[in-house]
Amino acid sequence: MRTAELNELIEKACNRFEVDPALVKSPNRGRMEVTDMRHVLIFTIRNCCPFYSLKSIGQMFGGRDHSTVINSITKSMNYMQTDPIYRDKVYQVQEIADQIKNKFGGN
């Protein structure tokens, strides 16, 4: 996925869950819905685009540090094991990512 596709993923996922994409991308911590969506998106991007560095993923989300990205991924993995609603949210965002990848030829 290229940057344009990642931006589309962020937009579509945020729209599906009624979260403002600008807040997800901002450096602010925000409400729980915003931070959850940010964690889900970081986790999904890392899984579907492992060639993006942790630093570059962090830059997409308000200039976050690579250690913050690692923390988001770890939190997502833990929540997926214990919270079925969170797990469903991750699966829905991964579906959106797959649709975008297929639309643009599976890059």
Side-chain angles (χ1 to χ4, degrees):
M1 289 183 124
R2 292 166 282 209
T3 303
E5 296 164 302
L6 293 176
N7 286 328
E8 183 177 349
L9 170 62
I10 293 167
E11 291 286 327
K12 286 187 173 188
C14 287
N15 288 339
R16 175 166 300 171
F17 293 100
E18 299 177 354
V19 176
D20 184 352
L23 292 176
V24 171
K25 290 178 166 183
S26 80
N28 301 330
R29 292 183 186 205
R31 300 179 322 271
M32 184 182 229
E33 309 88 50
V34 174
T35 57
D36 275 357
M37 179 55 44
R38 189 180 297 128
H39 292 318
V40 168
L41 284 163
I42 287 172
F43 178 80
T44 303
I45 291 169
R46 183 62 177 174
N47 283 337
C48 75
C49 308
F51 47 85
Y52 276 99
S53 70
L54 298 173
K55 182 178 180 179
S56 63
I57 294 171
Q59 291 300 312
M60 290 180 224
F61 294 94
R64 286 177 161 69
D65 188 77
H66 76 282
S67 61
T68 305
V69 173
I70 292 170
N71 186 48
S72 287
I73 294 166
T74 302
K75 280 187 177 186
S76 286
M77 291 182 343
N78 291 337
Y79 289 152
M80 285 183 64
Q81 293 176 358
T82 60
D83 185 346
I85 294 170
Y86 190 91
R87 184 172 40 247
D88 184 56
K89 187 183 286 188
V90 170
Y91 291 151
Q92 288 183 51
V93 173
Q94 287 176 337
E95 271 183 26
I96 294 169
D98 290 342
Q99 291 169 1
I100 292 170
K101 284 171 80 171
N102 290 336
K103 179 175 123 180
F104 286 98
N107 292 334

